[in-house]
Amino acid sequence: MNLETETASIENATFCLLKTANANKLNASLEGSKALEYQLALIDGCVCLRISANASGGLFSKEWISLDCIEECLGKPLTPAIAFKSSMLKPVFTKGSSSNNAGFLCACLRAEGILSVSEKNLFLHLFTGDFAAWRKKLKKLGKQ
């Protein structure tokens, strides 16, 4: 999958906004830790996510990222037993180079129940969700 081509096609498409929600930043003890807003949309039949606002400090990219790209980037071998860093999701961003992008995306994925915090470190994640079930649930929202 070519991430640049996919991102370009998303930008030129019309979309159906499915959900706007809030996420805690990874370090919940910081002031403004509940400051992330994200959106989920159906774009040409593909479910996509973007970080849409940050009430506290920190730059980020507002580009739409398909769930397919996120799932591909995480890879098939991930299980709840394997902890990983946010940086694993850096490749899904093709615009902007903010170091916050991947961490903020992981915070959104935690809010959606796809990732959870590792007992080892609050900045490590465990893949505990189900992309297929999540995608199906979100697509149903678009049909309402």
Side-chain angles (χ1 to χ4, degrees):
M1 179 181 298
N2 183 329
L3 295 176
E4 286 186 32
T5 303
E6 185 165 340
T7 302
S9 67
I10 289 171
E11 287 177 352
N12 297 322
T14 58
F15 66 90
C16 172
L17 186 63
L18 302 173
K19 178 179 178 180
T20 299
N22 294 308
N24 295 331
K25 290 186 179 174
L26 299 181
N27 189 350
S29 65
L30 292 177
E31 185 177 330
S33 65
K34 296 184 180 189
L36 292 177
E37 178 186 88
Y38 64 96
Q39 296 176 319
L40 290 153
L42 193 57
I43 302 173
D44 290 340
C46 181
V47 180
C48 300
L49 182 148
R50 78 171 177 170
I51 305 154
S52 52
N54 177 13
S56 60
L59 299 174
F60 62 95
S61 172
K62 288 188 177 184
E63 71 184 282
W64 288 101
I65 308 295
S66 77
L67 295 193
D68 294 339
C69 284
I70 295 168
E71 186 175 20
E72 183 178 311
C73 190
L74 289 176
K76 303 272 184 215
L78 284 182
T79 68
I82 301 172
F84 64 93
K85 294 180 180 182
S86 300
S87 59
M88 188 167 185
L89 285 171
K90 280 185 181 182
V92 302
F93 291 92
T94 59
K95 295 182 179 173
S97 58
S98 173
S99 60
N100 295 323
N101 287 341
F104 286 3
L105 177 58
C106 286
C108 298
L109 293 173
R110 281 187 186 181
E112 288 293 314
I114 296 298
L115 301 180
S116 60
V117 64
S118 169
E119 292 178 5
K120 297 176 185 176
N121 181 318
L122 74 111
F123 296 106
L124 292 177
H125 316 284
L126 297 171
F127 179 74
T128 53
D130 180 339
F131 271 104
W134 184 39
R135 188 179 290 107
K136 186 176 179 180
K137 177 183 167 185
L138 291 168
K139 284 186 176 185
K140 281 184 182 178
L141 290 175
K143 293 179 182 177
Q144 295 178 354

